[in-house]
Amino acid sequence: MDRRFLLKSTAGLAALGVAGGLMLPTARAQTGLVALVHTQAAGDAGPVDSMIARLKRLSEEKGFEYRAIYAQDPATYETIFRTLGDAGAAVIVSTFNEVAEPFKAVAPAYPDTKWIQLFADPFEPPIPNVVTVSYDYYLGCYLSGIFAARVSKTGKIGFIGGISIPPINADFNALKAGAQSVRPDATVTAAFAGSFQDPAKGQEIAAQMFSDGIDYIQTDAAATDFGIIAAANEGEGRMVSALDPAQFPIGPKSLISIVGLDFGASLYNETTKALGSDWAGGSHVSTGLDTGVIDFILSPLFQEQGQADIVAKAKEAWPEIQKAKAGILDGSIKVPFNTAL
């Protein structure tokens, strides 16, 4: 896409509605345009759906115009960001590591726009009008590992990530460390689907893991989770710990828990700050267990419909999980951020 063929301002955004994918209805603008540019598709019952819903809610509360644009092709990222900047966007939020370089290329040219990258490493050097946000998801995975070791009958635990990148590798290592801290003979096996949007591959990997005797899988794969949960639904005693409460109804008898990362809440929090007068650009936000964004949560549906003996084990293990969480928060438990596989 050549930017010369995109009209500026409102007309340019209309073009993005076609080129970029999803464009939502807008509220009456009072504080300027707020745009979410998401690089994974909506309909994931997870991060993207959550962010869009919370952006809509915040727009209704604050009275600003909003857009949610699916940037499917990395070749269009800079064009989309520049067009939003030309349109005078007040805040631009985008997602995941792949937008870091486009942010660095574009954001300095639009100093009056506030830029927020969710799931990001800090920029070195910082850019004055950019905030990056990271998530200590690995800490929740450590708790999931302890829990898995207590509820697993076989002692065989699986981990399925979307793509092997440093933070997801760290999630696997934390899961393994948590499991082996209470059950040294536990085995923890990692696999990667190669995509965050491939349920078929997720189902294939999970089915093989379950056939190999693994009975608890921690996911870290966004929309690929659909297939992992589907594989768990195909047999008794198969357990999955996923990402988002919206997934609970998909596997009421198999989805036992989530390591929750509430991208919607994070977007809501960071956008609210950006709309305020004391926003601190050029900074990095590290989001941990004590923020309300990341937590380890049992599925209430599984507690009602899950296999009775596993439900009993889960309830028995829960005080240990709470104690470990408190230990992480007070510093008495140190969970390494280990990105090596």
Side-chain angles (χ1 to χ4, degrees), residues 38-299:
H38 52 96
T39 58
Q40 295 176 17
D44 61 353
V48 177
D49 287 355
S50 176
M51 286 187 288
I52 292 171
R54 293 301 286 270
L55 178 60
K56 180 177 184 294
R57 173 177 153 187
L58 187 59
S59 78
E60 292 168 350
E61 293 175 1
K62 302 291 187 181
F64 58 76
E65 181 183 0
Y66 71 99
R67 294 283 191 273
I69 301 163
Y70 177 28
Q72 185 174 11
D73 182 357
T76 68
Y77 291 172
E78 285 195 27
T79 299
I80 291 171
F81 292 143
R82 289 187 188 280
T83 304
L84 289 166
D86 288 344
V91 181
I92 297 174
V93 185
S94 197
T95 54
F96 311 124
N97 287 328
E98 55 264 33
V99 302
E101 294 308 314
F103 260 40
K104 292 174 184 177
V106 176
Y110 299 91
D112 294 331
T113 297
K114 297 173 181 177
W115 301 72
I116 302 168
Q117 184 190 354
L118 302 181
F119 199 94
D121 296 321
F123 284 4
E124 295 295 343
I127 298 175
N129 59 329
V130 176
V131 163
T132 51
V133 185
S134 64
Y135 305 97
D136 293 337
Y137 193 76
Y138 73 106
L139 299 177
C141 289
Y142 182 86
L143 298 178
S144 178
I146 295 173
F147 183 72
R150 294 308 191 198
V151 299
S152 170
K153 293 181 179 180
T154 65
K156 296 181 178 181
I157 298 159
F159 174 92
I160 301 177
I163 298 173
S164 176
I165 56 177
I168 292 184
N169 297 347
D171 296 341
F172 162 70
N173 286 320
L175 179 80
K176 182 176 180 179
Q180 294 182 344
S181 72
V182 297
R183 190 170 177 174
D185 64 340
T187 61
V188 186
T189 303
F192 299 90
S195 171
F196 292 98
Q197 301 183 79
D198 192 346
K201 187 64 175 179
Q203 186 166 4
E204 176 189 336
I205 295 170
Q208 185 61 56
M209 282 188 169
F210 288 129
S211 295
D212 291 342
I214 287 170
D215 60 358
Y216 182 107
I217 295 174
Q218 174 62 54
T219 74
D220 205 347
T224 298
D225 286 1
F226 285 124
I228 301 168
I229 297 167
N233 289 340
E234 293 173 354
E236 275 196 16
R238 297 179 174 186
M239 293 170 280
V240 173
S241 178
L243 173 70
D244 195 281
Q247 297 169 313
F248 288 151
I250 303 170
K253 297 182 180 180
S254 64
L255 206 168
I256 190 169
S257 59
I258 61 169
V259 178
L261 198 175
D262 194 336
F263 277 94
S266 181
L267 178 145
Y268 185 97
N269 294 345
E270 299 308 323
T271 304
T272 299
K273 293 177 191 175
L275 293 171
S277 59
D278 57 350
W279 185 70
S283 60
H284 180 76
V285 177
S286 181
T287 312
L289 280 174
D290 58 345
T291 62
V293 174
I294 295 174
D295 206 352
F296 182 68
I297 302 167
L298 294 183
S299 165

